[in-house]
């Protein structure tokens, strides 16, 4: 199927759009700038490695990680994006025609996605500022992500903190520090999570 060409925005105008949303709702944005191309590239490659099936991105912002996933080989039609901010959703639809962009709160993730995909995502990429959120919201989101992931699915989450933003024991997940990106501002760590019940050889 042919999709209309995206209206390309410059990096500068994407930064301006991001900053505008930060001024409106700093807590939901969790950062004053989008992820750098260094961090986005690392996440894009990790998300694309050995992947089959749709990829769920939550909290895509202005789409820096989205673009990197496409550049790493993920077909735009395979991208399902859930983003809270309607203005950013409009921007994402313009930039990535062909992607499924859903304006919704990740606390209601499973009810917002196409029902046939729930429980089937083998790759979930989160740009959500989980550590800035009230505890009930972050707990609800992690529960929803687990509901939407396939049993052998993986979740990638980046953080600026030195420790895992998700508790392995509370969420029955196994965490692995998979990348450290010094050239991001601020430096970021990418964590990969999988169901703790998975046999070790399946997870590597
Ligand atoms: C730090 S930005 C990340 C943007 C992008 N992934 C990047 O790396 O530049 C966090 C994004 O999560 C979105 N967000 C925050 N809370 C959310 C929620 N409850 N549900 C869906 N998206 C949310 C914000 O609107 C924002 O676009």
């Amino acid at each position: 199927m042919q999709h209309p060409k995206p209206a390309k925005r410059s990096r500068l105008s994407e930064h301006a759009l991001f900053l505008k949303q930060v001024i409106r709702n700093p807590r939901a944005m969790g950062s004053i700038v989008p992820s750098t191309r260094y961090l986005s590239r690392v996440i894009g490659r990790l998300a694309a490695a050995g992947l089959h099936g749709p990829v769920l991105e939550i909290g895509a912002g202005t789409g820096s990680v989205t673009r990197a996933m496409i550049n790493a080989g993920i077909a735009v039609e395979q991208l399902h994006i859930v983003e809270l901010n309607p203005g950013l959703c409009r921007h994402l639809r313009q930039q990535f025609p062909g992607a499924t962009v859903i304006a919704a709160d990740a606390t209601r993730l499973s009810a917002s996605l196409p029902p046939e995909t729930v429980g089937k995502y083998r790759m979930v990429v989160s740009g959500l500022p989980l550590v800035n959120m009230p505890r009930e919201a972050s707990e609800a989101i992690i529960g929803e992500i687990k509901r939407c992931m396939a049993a052998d699915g993986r979740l990638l989450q980046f953080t600026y903190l030195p420790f895992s933003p998700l508790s392995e024991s509370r969420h029955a997940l196994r965490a692995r520090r998979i990348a450290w990106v010094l050239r991001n501002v601020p430096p970021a760590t990418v964590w990969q999570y999988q169901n703790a019940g998975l046999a070790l050889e399946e997870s590597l």
Side-chain angles (χ1 to χ4, degrees), residues 44-116:
R45 284 194 199 129
L46 289 168
L51 185 83
H52 308 283
V55 176
L56 174 60
E57 183 182 8
I58 316 166
T62 47
S64 52
V65 171
T66 319
R67 188 165 296 115
M69 290 197 283
I70 295 168
N71 290 340
I74 297 176
V76 70
E77 293 79 9
Q78 294 279 56
L79 287 172
H80 295 181
I81 301 172
V82 173
E83 166 55 58
L84 182 64
N85 182 308
L88 291 175
C89 285
R90 273 195 298 280
H91 167 79
L92 291 163
R93 288 190 191 106
Q94 274 177 359
Q95 293 297 304
F96 308 109
T100 303
V101 179
I102 300 164
D105 188 328
T107 56
R108 304 196 63 254
L109 196 60
S110 56
S112 314
L113 290 165
E116 67 281 7

Side-chain angles (χ1 to χ4, degrees), residues 106 109-110 137-149 171:
L109 196 60
S110 56
S138 62
E139 292 291 306
I141 290 174
I142 296 161
E144 283 289 289
I145 290 176
K146 287 195 72 182
R147 193 162 302 148
C148 294
M149 260 163 73
H171 303 296

